Amino acid sequence: MRAEKISHVGIAVQDLDKAIEDYRSILEIDHVEKHEVPSEGVKVAMLRIGESELELLSPVGEQGSIAKFISSRGEGIHHIAVKVADVSKAIEEAKARGFKVVDERPRTGAGGTLAAFVHPKSLHGVLLEFYSR
Ligand code: ZN
């Protein structure tokens, strides 16, 4: 499935409010949207940059994937998300082509968005997210 644009770049951070402050001040960003995904142990802030966004991800507790990422690799770029017209179809097509996927079917995120991840082992070390927005 054709990727329509870079939707966002996900960055794992330890302290969400400090990271928001730093990225806002250096990039002069006005629009910030915060939400929490308790089931995944993560707090999120989306910072709008034109047509794309930065997604700052910080851990809640020590069990979530972001907590594990930071404890093994430190803060930094976590994933790249591309917008596709149909997330279910994109992940099915990726599987059919032999890519290793993290999600067999899309998960639902904030505001009813859909997301599904392709494993970094299949993509030269980068975790790729198919995203509906
Ligand atoms: Zn993302």
Side-chain angles (χ1 to χ4, degrees):
M1 176 161 295
R2 181 181 293 272
E4 297 175 13
K5 66 170 186 178
I6 301 288
S7 165
H8 61 267
V9 175
I11 302 172
V13 303
Q14 190 63 57
D15 180 336
L16 189 62
D17 290 327
K18 176 74 168 83
I20 291 170
E21 188 189 309
D22 290 341
Y23 279 98
R24 279 185 78 152
S25 85
I26 196 165
L27 301 174
E28 299 183 15
I29 291 169
D30 299 322
H31 188 84
V32 178
E33 215 176 277
K34 279 166 81 168
H35 59 269
E36 199 160 326
V37 190
S39 59
E40 299 191 16
V42 68
K43 278 190 298 190
V44 180
M46 301 300 285
L47 282 62
R48 176 80 51 76
I49 303 176
E51 284 286 293
S52 304
E53 292 176 297
L54 289 183
E55 180 180 54
L56 304 177
L57 303 148
S58 75
V60 177
E62 282 159 23
Q63 296 308 313
S65 60
I66 297 302
K68 286 175 190 157
F69 180 91
I70 290 176
S71 76
S72 68
R73 299 168 64 169
E75 293 184 303
I77 292 180
H78 178 263
H79 66 275
I80 293 176
V82 294
K83 181 185 186 298
V84 291
D86 185 333
V87 174
S88 299
K89 200 167 167 205
I91 203 76
E92 273 170 32
E93 286 177 1
K95 260 179 70 178
R97 290 177 187 169
F99 291 97
K100 184 173 156 64
V101 300
V102 177
D103 301 300
E104 296 287 327
R105 54 187 58 81
R107 31 180 124 172
T108 306
T113 52
L114 294 175
F117 288 89
V118 180
H119 200 281
K121 280 198 171 124
S122 278
L123 287 172
H124 310 266
V126 171
L127 177 62
L128 179 75
E129 178 179 18
F130 291 125
Y131 196 62
S132 60
R133 190 171 77 181

